[in-house]
Amino acid sequence: MVKQERAARTRETLIRCAAQIFDREGFAVASLNGISSLAGVSSGALHFHFASKAALADAVEAAALTRLLAVTDPGPAPRAGSVQLLVDVTHGLAAALRTDVVLRAGFELGGEPSRDAQSDLRACWRRWVEDTLEKADAAGELSPQVAARDVATALVAATVGFEVLGARDAAWLSASTVTRFWRLLLPTLVPGPLLEGLDAEGTHTS
């Protein structure tokens, strides 16, 4: 049991350190020697857990996907509605991207042209946004003049843009940036009577 726990801790350390290297240097440039050195383990220990850099990147992506699903999991049906949920989760995603290098690296790995992504986090995010906007539309939360698909395109493009730009400048992932974005979008997204009940700053931001 002790050996299994130690192996699990070593694996998690390698995933975290690989994410740090991928985030800082990019997948193509990152080396297994650099990752094992940062993790404080031998090359042999690294290869015991991961046969290749590609396998390690797959593990980082899988860990990042788990984190993304935790961010987007709404739990019980939100009383404030699906549009407010979109606002809240966008804030939550930005905050997580600022602080969680594994999540950040997972998003970046999905756009790496030199490898085949196993878990495309940007595509997962797009599907969640599209599903949530469909629920908002069905509940009458969207203005008749807007189409849920068009809103999804704009929202995904903007948030992925924040994610890409935020990798080098954290201000793009700040709560104030996300709030300004929603203050601009909400008046065109929802009918006037519903606008007053929405909070562009999010209802559970940290």
Side-chain angles (χ1 to χ4, degrees):
M1 182 64 72
V2 173
K3 185 179 290 187
Q4 290 176 338
E5 290 174 356
R6 187 184 304 119
R9 286 197 301 270
T10 299
R11 190 178 190 279
E12 289 304 311
T13 298
L14 285 166
I15 289 173
R16 186 180 67 255
C17 290
Q20 291 175 6
I21 297 289
F22 293 150
D23 182 54
R24 186 171 67 230
E25 301 177 6
F27 173 78
V29 176
S31 71
L32 290 178
N33 284 339
I35 293 168
S36 62
S37 177
L38 182 62
V41 302
S42 67
S43 295
L46 185 153
H47 283 287
F48 173 80
H49 291 278
F50 302 102
S52 65
K53 185 168 70 169
L56 189 46
D58 290 346
V60 171
E61 271 191 329
L65 178 60
T66 298
R67 288 158 162 80
L68 176 62
L69 294 176
V71 170
T72 58
D73 181 7
R79 278 181 279 180
S82 294
V83 172
Q84 186 64 59
L85 178 64
L86 278 164
V87 175
D88 292 346
V89 170
T90 303
H91 274 284
L93 178 60
L97 285 167
R98 287 198 309 272
T99 60
D100 189 338
V101 70
V102 174
L103 180 63
R104 197 161 59 242
F107 269 93
E108 293 167 359
L109 285 166
E112 172 56 55
S114 64
R115 62 180 294 272
D116 295 324
Q118 298 299 304
S119 303
D120 188 337
L121 269 68
R122 291 169 183 164
C124 292
W125 170 246
R126 185 193 71 239
R127 287 192 294 271
W128 183 85
V129 169
E130 290 171 346
D131 290 346
T132 305
L133 279 166
E134 286 179 6
K135 293 174 184 175
D137 195 22
E141 295 181 42
L142 303 185
S143 295
Q145 295 84 0
V146 302
R149 180 177 296 181
D150 293 340
V151 177
T153 298
L155 178 53
V156 171
T159 51
V160 169
F162 293 157
E163 173 250 317
V164 172
L165 292 166
R168 296 296 171 259
D169 182 357
W172 285 100
L173 295 170
S174 67
S176 61
T177 296
V178 178
T179 297
R180 289 197 303 273
F181 166 74
W182 279 110
R183 284 177 179 161
L184 180 67
L185 184 61
L186 284 173
T188 64
L189 180 61
V190 301
L194 297 181
L195 185 60
E196 210 171 289
L198 296 174
D199 187 351
E201 296 183 0
T203 59
H204 51 70
T205 57
S206 57

